[in-house]
Amino acid sequence: MSARFDAIGMVVSDMAASVAFYRRLGFAFPEGAEEQGHVEAGLPGGLRLLLDTEEVVRSFHTGWEPPSGGGRTSLALRCDSPAEVDTLFAEMTDAGSGFELKPWDAVWGQRYAVLLDPDGNGVDLFAPLAVSGQ
């Protein structure tokens, strides 16, 4: 089989707001991306994050409608430390980002928080908790 995982695609209602949100999280979109209908940011490991406006999607899928109800997917971003989860969460919410869950120590051994992007998609921030004795 030659198919391989290459990119994560998301449909956005406001490209400028989405590019600004993801840039604050460290995604490197090209200059002028805010005014494009389709943009890509390279990710570590060779993957890409693709953003398309609703108008672009409707240009090839005329019956497309945005989903209703709660989100079913999220991006999960690993931070270097539990403190970075708290710091990044504070920076993002201070800049006006919405959130679903404030940082907490999860039973599965991670510091975890959930931001919301401009379209309400979850963006999880996590880092392993320090193991006792280390």
Side-chain angles (χ1 to χ4, degrees):
M1 176 183 234
S2 62
R4 61 186 170 82
F5 188 50
D6 182 72
I8 300 162
M10 299 174 70
V11 180
V12 302
S13 58
D14 182 337
M15 183 65 79
S18 294
V19 167
F21 175 88
Y22 286 105
R23 276 186 178 150
R24 279 193 300 274
L25 288 170
F27 289 76
F29 287 99
E31 192 67 32
E34 303 84 353
E35 302 178 19
Q36 302 299 313
H38 170 86
V39 296
E40 300 182 10
L43 305 173
L47 293 175
R48 297 171 296 142
L49 177 64
L50 316 176
L51 303 181
D52 290 287
T53 62
E54 294 174 354
E55 294 79 18
V56 165
V57 172
R58 285 191 188 102
S59 75
F60 60 84
H61 187 342
T62 56
W64 183 85
E65 290 295 327
S68 60
R72 294 179 179 248
T73 62
S74 64
L75 299 179
L77 305 179
R78 183 181 179 132
C79 297
D80 289 334
S81 68
E84 186 182 9
V85 171
D86 294 350
T87 300
L88 188 52
F89 181 86
E91 288 174 5
M92 295 298 292
T93 56
D94 288 350
S97 297
F99 65 91
E100 190 169 33
L101 296 169
K102 293 181 179 180
W104 85 98
D105 292 341
V107 297
W108 55 85
Q110 295 173 331
R111 183 74 173 164
Y112 221 91
V114 181
L115 296 167
L116 296 174
D117 79 1
D119 289 296
N121 297 304
V123 177
D124 302 4
L125 306 175
F126 73 95
L129 292 170
V131 179
S132 61
Q134 288 187 359

